Amino acid sequence: MTQATAKLIDGNALSAKLRTDVAQRVTALKAKGVTPGLAVILVGENAASQVYVRNKVKSCAEVGMHSVLERYDASMTEADLLARVDALNHDASIHGILVQLPLPAHIDANKVIEFISPAKDVDGFHIASAGALMVGQPGFWPCTPYGCMKMLESIGYALRGKHAVVIGRSNIVGKPMAMMLLQQSATVTICHSATPDLKAHTLQADVIVAAVGKRNVLTADMVKPGAVVLDVGMNRNDEGKLCGDVDFDGVSRVAGYITPVPGGVGPMTITMLLVNTLESAERAAGEAPTA
Ligand code: GUN
C-alpha cells in the first residue's frame, strides 16, 4: 500500500541560506565600522545550557559576528548578575544580550530579563518586546517562533484565513507564536494542558505548532490530511535518541509538510538569534529597516 508522505521542511538547509544572507550583511556593516556583537551570560553548570551557549557563540563566529561568553558560578548573586547586565547595556560593542535560562533558583529570572535594555533584547523575552509583538510594533521577536514563521514563509504558505493550532502556552514559544500567526491573519487556537479534547482542535487545523516538550503529543489520528506540522519539541525517546513532540513517522503519512527533529526548528532558533543581533547592530548604526 502506498502512503502519502509529507514534504520535509529542512531547518538546516533554510538556516544555511539565511545565515549566508546574515554573513553578507555583517560584512557590509563591518565595512562601515560596526561589528555586530552578542553577549551571552551563563550562570551555573546546566549541561543542556552549556551546549546551547557554545553553539550560539560558535554560530556568531561563523557569520563574522563578535561574541562574548560570560560564565559564572551558580552561587553568583542576583545583584552581581544585574550589575553585569547593566554594564553590557552600556557597552557599545554589544548589540545583543542573552541571559541563558534557566537561572539558579535564588535569582529572579523575570527581574533579570526586565533589566536588559529592550534595544538589546535579542531573545525577545522582555515585556517591552512581548508588548511590541502584541500590538504589532517593531521589536525583537522570540527566536523559536520567529524561526517557525520563517519556515512557513520558506514554503510560500499563506496564513491568511487559515486555522492554526498552537499546542503550548509558554512565554518563549506558545504565546508569541500565536501572536505571530494572528498578525498574519490566521485564526488561532491555543491549546494547553487543561484543554479537554486536544484532538477536536488539531483535526480542524491547517497549521499545527507543537511546543509542549512531551513526546507523541500529536499523533496521525489528530491531523487533518495535508496540514502543516511544525515540531518545536526537544525530547529523548526510550533509546535516548533526540525526538520532538510529534509522532514523526505516523504524522508524516498524513501531513502535507512536517519539520523533523533534529534538523527542523532547532537550528532556526540560533539563526533567528543571529538575525536579531544583526538587526540590533543595524539599528544602532542607524540603517535598519524597521521590522
Ligand atoms: N533556554 C532555553 N532556550 C533559551 C533561549 O532561547 N534563550 C535563553 N536565554 N535561554 C534559553
Side-chain angles (χ1 to χ4, degrees), residues 22-270:
V22 167
Q24 283 167 358
R25 282 162 65 190
V26 168
T27 303
L29 206 54
K30 278 177 160 174
K32 293 177 182 157
V34 178
T35 300
L38 174 70
V40 178
I41 299 181
L42 174 62
V43 184
E45 305 290 327
N46 182 296
S49 290
Q50 297 197 36
V51 175
Y52 292 146
V53 299
R54 233 182 287 130
N55 283 337
K56 287 169 185 177
V57 167
K58 181 167 152 258
S59 301
C60 281
E62 284 166 2
V63 295
M65 287 185 189
H66 165 63
S67 69
V68 288
L69 172 56
E70 298 191 8
R71 303 179 58 144
Y72 298 103
D73 194 85
S75 63
M76 183 185 211
T77 66
E78 184 180 282
D80 284 348
L81 178 54
L82 293 176
R84 278 312 304 148
V85 170
D86 189 49
L88 293 165
N89 280 341
H90 293 96
D91 182 338
S93 73
I94 294 299
H95 304 95
I97 302 169
L98 184 153
V99 179
Q100 188 66 25
L101 303 177
L103 285 168
H106 66 277
I107 297 178
D108 180 346
N110 286 326
K111 194 167 166 186
V112 174
I113 290 167
E114 299 323 322
F115 217 69
I116 296 171
S117 163
K120 299 189 180 186
D121 176 37
V122 288
D123 254 337
F125 294 170
H126 195 287
I127 282 178
S129 302
L133 169 59
M134 177 105 179
V135 297
Q137 293 285 319
F140 294 114
W141 285 6
C143 302
T144 300
Y146 191 8
C148 289
M149 294 304 284
K150 286 284 172 192
M151 294 182 111
L152 291 173
E153 190 184 310
S154 76
I155 60 167
Y157 195 82
L159 281 161
R160 186 177 185 81
K162 295 295 200 309
H163 186 190
V165 169
V166 179
I167 314 172
R169 55 173 155 176
S170 71
N171 291 333
I172 293 178
V173 184
K175 281 190 239 174
M177 184 80 253
M179 285 299 134
M180 291 173 201
L181 294 163
L182 182 62
Q183 199 175 93
Q184 297 291 314
S185 300
T187 301
V188 182
T189 303
I190 305 176
C191 297
H192 46 79
S193 50
T195 301
D197 188 357
L198 177 61
K199 181 176 170 178
H201 296 283
T202 57
L203 271 175
Q204 304 291 321
D206 302 301
V207 176
I208 303 170
V209 182
V212 280
K214 217 170 90 187
R215 278 168 63 194
N216 296 332
V217 153
L218 192 74
T219 48
D221 57 307
M222 301 167 73
V223 178
K224 182 166 81 172
V228 178
V229 176
L230 306 180
D231 190 350
V232 178
M234 282 262 252
N235 313 298
R236 298 264 169 201
N237 68 13
D238 293 336
E239 292 97 58
K241 255 180 64 185
L242 205 60
C243 67
D245 289 353
V246 174
D247 169 25
F248 182 85
D249 291 342
V251 171
S252 56
R253 286 195 276 271
V254 182
Y257 286 91
I258 191 167
T259 64
V261 177
V265 174
M268 293 298 293
T269 297
I270 294 187

